[in-house]
Amino acid sequence: MFEIELKPKEFALFRTYIYEKVGISLSEQKSTLIKGRLNKRLNQLGLGSFGEYYNYLISDTSGDELTFFVSAISTNVTSFFRESAQWKWLESYLPEMIASKKEKKIRIWSAGCSSGEEPYTILMFLQHHLSDFESWDIKILATDISSKVLSHAIAGQYDAKQVEQLPREMVARSFERLHGSDQVKYKVRPVLKEKVLFRLYNLITDPFFFKNKFDMIFCRNVMIYFDDANRQELVGRFTQLLPKGSPLLLGSSESLTAHKDILKLVGSSIYKKI
Ligand SMILES: C[S@@+](CC[C@H](N)C(=O)[O-])C[C@H]1O[C@@H](n2cnc3c(N)ncnc32)[C@H](O)[C@@H]1O
């Protein structure tokens, strides 16, 4: 493999394109990262320059190359019950939410769900805390921009080392144990899976098509790559989809600088609509 240079002009092209398509704001320092992470890809494709790769990227109407590019420059890292302080907070919030319900219906959006651990955690959490879980009409909308992580989420199959960290009783109730040729895998049970609607969805460019509001919205560790303008715009749109008193959950390293008149901090990176 030979090393291909990324010229400043080429970097500027990627920067504009990625900002417009995905909302990710690439600083000058990301030039080295792109060069390092995409050199192998250019070699695989038999391309001799980043200029050629740029043309390849923008002419791929399937969106697969954009997915590849975004995965190369960002992270899909996730895990079951990530941000433990938030799940503790939700334990005390859940009875309040249930008490306010007129219908036995729960709607939650996991925006930027990656490989599915977040939406499945929401369901495991509800299954654990609602004694009459089966009698509720529960739907989790789980969206991501990457078709690759969504395929993993839809398959709902996880490595033993990820799943076996959960309480045994929860594992038994929520997963089927699969014995592969060389390693144990766990598959999410249909009773949970059927409650998730997975969709390919770009938070920056796709229209907000939703007819109904959500009881809560998770958008954790997604907006870290967005600039302030996109972050504010997106949070503004989230608030329109939340009834008063409902929470928006961000990643623990994220905080809001705008919308303070409409969103109140109530827990670890948890904001309630006022
Ligand atoms: C670090 S993961 C976070 C997963 C999960 N929310 C969590 O906190 O564990 C960030 C996810 O956001 C997705 N993402 C990034 N930009 C996006 C966009 N513009 N629209 C939708 N999803 C996006 C990525 O594909 C990735 O799967």
Side-chain angles (χ1 to χ4, degrees):
M1 190 176 108
F2 63 95
E3 174 116 319
I4 301 164
E5 281 308 308
L6 172 61
K7 300 188 186 104
K9 259 192 185 164
E10 293 166 335
F11 174 69
L13 290 173
F14 286 111
R15 183 155 70 175
T16 308
Y17 185 70
I18 289 304
Y19 184 73
E20 279 169 8
K21 284 282 177 190
V22 197
I24 292 181
S25 159
L26 295 169
S27 61
E28 291 290 340
Q29 292 95 299
K30 289 280 172 4
S31 174
T32 323
L33 182 105
I34 294 178
K35 187 180 123 189
R37 298 215 175 147
L38 287 157
N39 242 282
K40 195 168 156 209
R41 182 70 178 149
L42 267 68
N43 276 288
Q44 264 173 1
L45 294 168
L47 302 175
S49 74
F50 275 95
E52 282 175 46
Y53 179 62
Y54 174 76
N55 290 331
Y56 180 83
L57 175 68
I58 63 169
S59 55
D60 171 35
T61 48
S62 73
D64 289 349
E65 197 57 33
L66 182 63
T67 295
F68 186 92
F69 189 96
V70 172
S71 302
I73 57 163
S74 61
T75 168
N76 300 116
V77 169
T78 184
S79 56
F80 292 110
F81 286 94
R82 186 177 192 186
E83 322 279 16
S84 58
Q86 295 191 333
W87 298 102
K88 263 259 131 323
W89 183 90
L90 285 168
E91 269 176 38
S92 53
Y93 172 69
L94 190 65
E96 182 192 316
M97 182 183 109
I98 296 301
S100 71
K101 290 249 158 224
K102 292 192 186 81
E103 279 178 284
K104 291 187 91 173
K105 194 166 154 182
I106 298 175
R107 296 289 182 265
I108 297 174
W109 184 10
S110 165
C113 65
S114 189
S115 38
E117 285 85 336
E118 184 174 275
Y120 291 131
T121 299
I122 297 170
L123 286 169
M124 285 190 268
F125 172 85
L126 293 174
Q127 192 180 34
H128 186 77
H129 290 283
L130 293 175
S131 54
D132 55 352
F133 174 77
E134 272 309 317
S135 66
W136 282 81
D137 167 10
I138 300 173
K139 285 272 175 305
I140 313 295
L141 173 68
T143 61
D144 204 282
I145 197 178
S146 159
S147 50
K148 191 167 161 221
V149 290
L150 274 182
S151 312
H152 185 177
I154 292 165
Q157 219 165 289
Y158 300 95
D159 291 342
K161 67 173 185 319
Q162 278 174 282
V163 175
E164 286 172 359
Q165 293 171 8
L166 302 172
R168 258 196 206 181
E169 170 230 356
M170 189 177 267
V171 175
R173 198 166 45 190
S174 313
F175 296 89
E176 214 177 301
R177 197 165 195 263
L178 307 175
H179 293 274
S181 49
D182 53 349
Q183 55 171 324
V184 174
K185 288 251 181 197
Y186 287 86
K187 194 175 169 94
V188 177
R189 290 194 187 277
V191 63
L192 297 188
K193 224 163 170 227
E194 68 199 12
K195 296 184 178 6
V196 195
L197 187 67
F198 288 106
R199 284 282 179 278
L200 198 61
Y201 185 82
N202 183 335
L203 289 162
I204 300 296
T205 55
D206 285 341
F208 264 39
F209 54 81
F210 315 95
K211 287 193 222 96
N212 299 310
K213 296 199 172 185
F214 293 96
D215 294 296
M216 43 182 116
I217 298 177
F218 287 69
C219 187
R220 307 187 307 167
N221 308 298
V222 179
M223 293 191 280
I224 36 175
Y225 302 106
F226 301 169
D227 65 357
D228 267 351
N230 275 326
R231 230 176 267 153
Q232 283 185 30
E233 163 79 21
L234 185 58
V235 171
R237 286 191 284 157
F238 283 147
T239 61
Q240 290 166 20
L241 293 172
L242 286 169
K244 275 190 186 157
S246 301
L248 168 67
L249 295 96
L250 309 182
S252 60
S253 64
E254 300 168 281
S255 59
L256 293 182
T257 48
H259 303 292
K260 290 195 169 148
D261 52 331
I262 191 148
L263 288 168
K264 185 179 161 217
L265 185 67
V266 290
S268 159
S269 296
I270 303 174
Y271 294 83
K272 255 191 189 181
K273 179 158 168 193
I274 303 168

